[in-house]
Amino acid sequence: MAKRQQTYSTQADQLKDDLRHLSETVEELVNATAKDASGEMNDLRTRAERRLKDTRARLEARGERLYDDTRDSLTQQADACDRYVHENPWTSIGIGAAAGMVVGMLLGRR
């Protein structure tokens, strides 16, 4: 679990760096537009487009990895829950009944 948190923290830091680079490029583009230098403007636009494409690609890849990791984690947790219920059916019935009573009591107070 700690390893996943470090991985997510690292990914969050990379995302922050990507967004910082993108914002710096956009800021440079805005400053260059104020000067209205066509050669410099084209260079900055090219750099902005390239960074934007790179950032989008990285964000899509990270989003897919995060989705896959989350799906795998939930699948493992559901499998563990299923195994527990099959190995301890009476305990599971008791837990379900207790949870039902608590929910019923809370709803009955309304």
Side-chain angles (χ1 to χ4, degrees):
M1 187 70 151
K3 182 179 178 183
R4 282 190 185 148
Q5 289 176 346
Q6 290 175 348
T7 302
Y8 296 143
S9 177
T10 302
Q11 290 176 354
D13 291 340
Q14 289 173 349
L15 177 61
K16 288 176 188 176
D17 288 341
D18 290 342
L19 292 175
R20 184 178 49 79
H21 286 298
L22 182 60
S23 66
E24 289 172 358
T25 304
V26 170
E27 187 176 326
E28 290 173 2
L29 182 60
V30 169
N31 291 336
T33 304
K35 295 176 186 175
D36 198 35
S38 62
E40 185 178 335
M41 177 73 85
N42 289 335
D43 181 45
L44 287 174
R45 281 185 185 151
T46 304
R47 285 176 44 201
E49 289 174 358
R50 184 179 54 232
R51 283 188 181 173
L52 184 59
K53 286 179 185 178
D54 291 345
T55 301
R56 283 182 181 166
R58 281 192 224 123
L59 289 174
E60 287 175 5
R62 287 184 191 138
E64 289 174 7
R65 278 196 310 258
L66 183 61
Y67 173 78
D68 290 341
D69 291 347
T70 303
R71 185 187 63 222
D72 293 344
S73 176
L74 289 174
T75 301
Q76 290 173 356
Q77 291 174 4
D79 289 343
C81 183
D82 186 54
R83 277 193 309 276
Y84 179 81
V85 169
H86 280 87
E87 291 171 1
N88 305 298
W90 289 109
T91 303
S92 301
I93 291 171
I95 291 171
M101 285 179 48
V102 169
V103 170
M105 291 172 64
L106 290 174
L107 290 175
R109 287 188 175 185
R110 285 187 166 196

PDB file of all heavy atoms in Angstrom, residues 33-48:
ATOM      1  N   THR A  33       3.317  37.643 -27.842  1.00  0.00           N
ATOM      2  CA  THR A  33       2.222  38.214 -28.620  1.00  0.00           C
ATOM      3  C   THR A  33       2.165  39.722 -28.391  1.00  0.00           C
ATOM      4  O   THR A  33       1.879  40.484 -29.317  1.00  0.00           O
ATOM      5  CB  THR A  33       0.885  37.571 -28.221  1.00  0.00           C
ATOM      6  OG1 THR A  33       0.978  36.168 -28.380  1.00  0.00           O
ATOM      7  CG2 THR A  33      -0.245  38.099 -29.050  1.00  0.00           C
ATOM      8  N   ALA A  34       2.446  40.146 -27.179  1.00  0.00           N
ATOM      9  CA  ALA A  34       2.428  41.580 -26.882  1.00  0.00           C
ATOM     10  C   ALA A  34       3.503  42.310 -27.679  1.00  0.00           C
ATOM     11  O   ALA A  34       3.306  43.437 -28.121  1.00  0.00           O
ATOM     12  CB  ALA A  34       2.631  41.798 -25.388  1.00  0.00           C
ATOM     13  N   LYS A  35       4.644  41.671 -27.890  1.00  0.00           N
ATOM     14  CA  LYS A  35       5.726  42.279 -28.669  1.00  0.00           C
ATOM     15  C   LYS A  35       5.439  42.217 -30.168  1.00  0.00           C
ATOM     16  O   LYS A  35       5.980  43.005 -30.935  1.00  0.00           O
ATOM     17  CB  LYS A  35       7.047  41.556 -28.376  1.00  0.00           C
ATOM     18  CG  LYS A  35       7.514  41.712 -26.954  1.00  0.00           C
ATOM     19  CD  LYS A  35       8.761  40.889 -26.726  1.00  0.00           C
ATOM     20  CE  LYS A  35       9.158  40.906 -25.268  1.00  0.00           C
ATOM     21  NZ  LYS A  35      10.290  40.009 -25.015  1.00  0.00           N
ATOM     22  N   ASP A  36       4.657  41.243 -30.573  1.00  0.00           N
ATOM     23  CA  ASP A  36       4.270  41.045 -31.964  1.00  0.00           C
ATOM     24  C   ASP A  36       5.477  40.820 -32.878  1.00  0.00           C
ATOM     25  O   ASP A  36       5.582  41.409 -33.948  1.00  0.00           O
ATOM     26  CB  ASP A  36       3.414  42.199 -32.466  1.00  0.00           C
ATOM     27  CG  ASP A  36       2.659  41.817 -33.720  1.00  0.00           C
ATOM     28  OD1 ASP A  36       2.244  40.643 -33.829  1.00  0.00           O
ATOM     29  OD2 ASP A  36       2.491  42.681 -34.589  1.00  0.00           O
ATOM     30  N   ALA A  37       6.399  39.962 -32.437  1.00  0.00           N
ATOM     31  CA  ALA A  37       7.544  39.586 -33.264  1.00  0.00           C
ATOM     32  C   ALA A  37       7.198  38.277 -33.952  1.00  0.00           C
ATOM     33  O   ALA A  37       7.080  37.243 -33.320  1.00  0.00           O
ATOM     34  CB  ALA A  37       8.792  39.432 -32.402  1.00  0.00           C
ATOM     35  N   SER A  38       7.045  38.298 -35.264  1.00  0.00           N
ATOM     36  CA  SER A  38       6.518  37.134 -35.980  1.00  0.00           C
ATOM     37  C   SER A  38       7.442  35.919 -35.913  1.00  0.00           C
ATOM     38  O   SER A  38       6.972  34.807 -35.738  1.00  0.00           O
ATOM     39  CB  SER A  38       6.224  37.506 -37.427  1.00  0.00           C
ATOM     40  OG  SER A  38       7.423  37.889 -38.073  1.00  0.00           O
ATOM     41  N   GLY A  39       8.754  36.100 -36.059  1.00  0.00           N
ATOM     42  CA  GLY A  39       9.673  34.951 -35.999  1.00  0.00           C
ATOM     43  C   GLY A  39       9.688  34.324 -34.626  1.00  0.00           C
ATOM     44  O   GLY A  39       9.631  33.100 -34.475  1.00  0.00           O
ATOM     45  N   GLU A  40       9.779  35.148 -33.621  1.00  0.00           N
ATOM     46  CA  GLU A  40       9.775  34.664 -32.240  1.00  0.00           C
ATOM     47  C   GLU A  40       8.422  34.057 -31.898  1.00  0.00           C
ATOM     48  O   GLU A  40       8.334  33.049 -31.203  1.00  0.00           O
ATOM     49  CB  GLU A  40      10.073  35.839 -31.299  1.00  0.00           C
ATOM     50  CG  GLU A  40      10.222  35.443 -29.855  1.00  0.00           C
ATOM     51  CD  GLU A  40      10.568  36.637 -28.978  1.00  0.00           C
ATOM     52  OE1 GLU A  40      11.122  37.612 -29.470  1.00  0.00           O
ATOM     53  OE2 GLU A  40      10.247  36.552 -27.779  1.00  0.00           O
ATOM     54  N   MET A  41       7.361  34.650 -32.420  1.00  0.00           N
ATOM     55  CA  MET A  41       5.998  34.158 -32.185  1.00  0.00           C
ATOM     56  C   MET A  41       5.822  32.750 -32.738  1.00  0.00           C
ATOM     57  O   MET A  41       5.281  31.873 -32.065  1.00  0.00           O
ATOM     58  CB  MET A  41       4.988  35.101 -32.838  1.00  0.00           C
ATOM     59  CG  MET A  41       3.569  34.635 -32.711  1.00  0.00           C
ATOM     60  SD  MET A  41       2.967  34.831 -31.069  1.00  0.00           S
ATOM     61  CE  MET A  41       2.475  36.513 -31.207  1.00  0.00           C
ATOM     62  N   ASN A  42       6.278  32.507 -33.937  1.00  0.00           N
ATOM     63  CA  ASN A  42       6.151  31.181 -34.543  1.00  0.00           C
ATOM     64  C   ASN A  42       6.928  30.142 -33.753  1.00  0.00           C
ATOM     65  O   ASN A  42       6.453  29.014 -33.564  1.00  0.00           O
ATOM     66  CB  ASN A  42       6.622  31.207 -36.003  1.00  0.00           C
ATOM     67  CG  ASN A  42       5.662  31.965 -36.888  1.00  0.00           C
ATOM     68  OD1 ASN A  42       4.483  32.073 -36.575  1.00  0.00           O
ATOM     69  ND2 ASN A  42       6.167  32.488 -37.990  1.00  0.00           N
ATOM     70  N   ASP A  43       8.135  30.504 -33.292  1.00  0.00           N
ATOM     71  CA  ASP A  43       8.945  29.574 -32.503  1.00  0.00           C
ATOM     72  C   ASP A  43       8.230  29.217 -31.197  1.00  0.00           C
ATOM     73  O   ASP A  43       8.154  28.047 -30.821  1.00  0.00           O
ATOM     74  CB  ASP A  43      10.316  30.191 -32.213  1.00  0.00           C
ATOM     75  CG  ASP A  43      11.206  29.254 -31.427  1.00  0.00           C
ATOM     76  OD1 ASP A  43      11.255  28.049 -31.791  1.00  0.00           O
ATOM     77  OD2 ASP A  43      11.849  29.717 -30.460  1.00  0.00           O
ATOM     78  N   LEU A  44       7.691  30.221 -30.527  1.00  0.00           N
ATOM     79  CA  LEU A  44       6.996  29.966 -29.266  1.00  0.00           C
ATOM     80  C   LEU A  44       5.712  29.160 -29.479  1.00  0.00           C
ATOM     81  O   LEU A  44       5.373  28.293 -28.681  1.00  0.00           O
ATOM     82  CB  LEU A  44       6.675  31.279 -28.555  1.00  0.00           C
ATOM     83  CG  LEU A  44       7.878  31.975 -27.927  1.00  0.00           C
ATOM     84  CD1 LEU A  44       7.487  33.333 -27.390  1.00  0.00           C
ATOM     85  CD2 LEU A  44       8.468  31.121 -26.820  1.00  0.00           C
ATOM     86  N   ARG A  45       5.005  29.448 -30.548  1.00  0.00           N
ATOM     87  CA  ARG A  45       3.801  28.670 -30.838  1.00  0.00           C
ATOM     88  C   ARG A  45       4.147  27.209 -31.093  1.00  0.00           C
ATOM     89  O   ARG A  45       3.454  26.312 -30.620  1.00  0.00           O
ATOM     90  CB  ARG A  45       3.083  29.247 -32.058  1.00  0.00           C
ATOM     91  CG  ARG A  45       2.272  30.455 -31.761  1.00  0.00           C
ATOM     92  CD  ARG A  45       1.495  30.892 -32.977  1.00  0.00           C
ATOM     93  NE  ARG A  45       0.794  32.140 -32.688  1.00  0.00           N
ATOM     94  CZ  ARG A  45       0.501  33.041 -33.574  1.00  0.00           C
ATOM     95  NH1 ARG A  45       0.828  32.860 -34.850  1.00  0.00           N
ATOM     96  NH2 ARG A  45      -0.139  34.137 -33.223  1.00  0.00           N
ATOM     97  N   THR A  46       5.225  26.991 -31.839  1.00  0.00           N
ATOM     98  CA  THR A  46       5.662  25.620 -32.112  1.00  0.00           C
ATOM     99  C   THR A  46       6.020  24.905 -30.816  1.00  0.00           C
ATOM    100  O   THR A  46       5.625  23.755 -30.596  1.00  0.00           O
ATOM    101  CB  THR A  46       6.864  25.620 -33.077  1.00  0.00           C
ATOM    102  OG1 THR A  46       6.494  26.316 -34.257  1.00  0.00           O
ATOM    103  CG2 THR A  46       7.296  24.215 -33.412  1.00  0.00           C
ATOM    104  N   ARG A  47       6.766  25.591 -29.939  1.00  0.00           N
ATOM    105  CA  ARG A  47       7.136  24.988 -28.656  1.00  0.00           C
ATOM    106  C   ARG A  47       5.899  24.719 -27.806  1.00  0.00           C
ATOM    107  O   ARG A  47       5.793  23.669 -27.159  1.00  0.00           O
ATOM    108  CB  ARG A  47       8.097  25.904 -27.901  1.00  0.00           C
ATOM    109  CG  ARG A  47       9.493  25.876 -28.484  1.00  0.00           C
ATOM    110  CD  ARG A  47      10.437  26.851 -27.826  1.00  0.00           C
ATOM    111  NE  ARG A  47      10.341  26.881 -26.376  1.00  0.00           N
ATOM    112  CZ  ARG A  47      10.753  27.906 -25.649  1.00  0.00           C
ATOM    113  NH1 ARG A  47      11.250  28.985 -26.222  1.00  0.00           N
ATOM    114  NH2 ARG A  47      10.655  27.870 -24.343  1.00  0.00           N
ATOM    115  N   ALA A  48       4.955  25.655 -27.801  1.00  0.00           N
ATOM    116  CA  ALA A  48       3.734  25.476 -27.011  1.00  0.00           C
ATOM    117  C   ALA A  48       2.931  24.286 -27.523  1.00  0.00           C
ATOM    118  O   ALA A  48       2.440  23.477 -26.737  1.00  0.00           O
ATOM    119  CB  ALA A  48       2.892  26.751 -27.049  1.00  0.00           C
TER     120      ALA A  48
END
